[in-house]
Amino acid sequence: MLSEGKSKIENRFLTTECRFSSTAIDIWKQETQIRCKAKDAYYNNYMNWQQGDNEMALFTYYAYADLSIPKKFDCLFDYKNPDRYVESNMILKHAIWEGWFPINAMEHGHKHLAIFEFEATIPEIIFELYKENNKYAQIPDNALCLGICELANYEAIKNKLANVQHFYNEHIL
């Protein structure tokens, strides 16, 4: 467990390499129905959720901290080329732990099916993500990886990623 306030600013971002199609969402909803014993409000909200025009389901990797829902973000960036970014107001409205267990937060160190609602239209950069149609991701090696953060933290994140890349180029390659 790590609270967001105790996480370093340069680490405060989520990553994703794929968006879920309605077919993939339906598959994982079936998994939820099979696996979940507790049918609480989070379960019902997720199972009754239908994707709106300004919503997208993204599979996020290891969360940087415990995040309460709803959680606001306003920046998307290309993880491999962080100078490329888009400002877009969005709210994390559902977190499905490891893709099958709906909860009221995103948990530090875990993967989640994350459902975001965008204030305006969904930014084009989201549609560049690999689109998953199956139960298990088959993301190609060269797939776009996006970072999701708060714009106020973006410069610190970008600088950290540049430092890591510099170190890698100097000492690893």
Side-chain angles (χ1 to χ4, degrees):
M1 294 180 62
L2 177 66
S3 70
E4 187 169 21
K6 291 186 178 180
S7 68
K8 294 181 179 180
I9 291 173
E10 63 268 20
N11 293 336
R12 293 182 187 175
F13 65 97
L14 301 170
T15 56
T16 183
E17 289 182 315
C18 77
R19 57 192 169 99
F20 276 28
S21 70
S22 58
T23 302
I25 293 167
D26 288 344
I27 291 168
W28 281 101
K29 278 186 175 183
Q30 289 173 356
E31 280 297 309
T32 299
Q33 193 171 27
I34 292 166
R35 293 181 181 199
C36 280
K37 305 288 186 256
K39 311 287 197 238
D40 59 14
Y42 308 112
Y43 172 90
N44 290 325
N45 286 341
Y46 171 57
M47 296 303 285
N48 292 320
W49 173 75
Q50 295 295 315
Q51 186 171 359
D53 291 340
N54 65 335
E55 295 176 317
M56 186 63 67
L58 306 174
F59 191 71
T60 62
Y61 294 108
Y62 311 98
Y64 64 89
D66 294 328
L67 306 174
S68 296
I69 295 175
K71 168 74 177 148
K72 293 181 181 183
F73 294 95
D74 55 3
C75 183
L76 298 160
F77 63 90
D78 183 335
Y79 182 82
K80 296 173 187 166
N81 178 18
D83 287 327
R84 180 179 174 225
Y85 74 99
V86 174
E87 293 180 41
S88 179
N89 291 322
M90 64 196 110
I91 297 174
L92 172 64
K93 37 185 297 194
H94 296 284
I96 297 77
W97 183 84
E98 300 292 336
W100 66 270
F101 188 69
I103 55 177
N104 67 340
M106 194 171 264
E107 291 189 351
H108 175 240
H110 289 278
K111 299 172 287 195
H112 299 83
L113 169 54
I115 299 171
F116 289 91
E117 180 179 16
F118 293 84
E119 184 176 275
T121 59
I122 298 172
E124 286 301 315
I125 197 168
I126 293 286
F127 294 102
E128 295 177 33
L129 288 168
Y130 171 76
K131 183 177 183 180
E132 185 56 63
N133 293 304
N134 299 299
K135 182 174 181 178
Y136 296 112
Q138 300 175 16
I139 302 165
D141 290 339
N142 63 344
L144 173 68
C145 180
L146 289 181
I148 304 166
C149 68
E150 294 178 40
L151 189 59
N153 301 331
Y154 169 68
E155 283 299 321
I157 294 165
K158 185 173 93 166
N159 290 338
K160 177 192 176 182
L161 294 175
N163 289 338
V164 168
Q165 188 61 49
H166 176 74
F167 177 84
Y168 184 80
N169 291 341
E170 290 289 317
H171 301 287
I172 308 296
L173 292 179

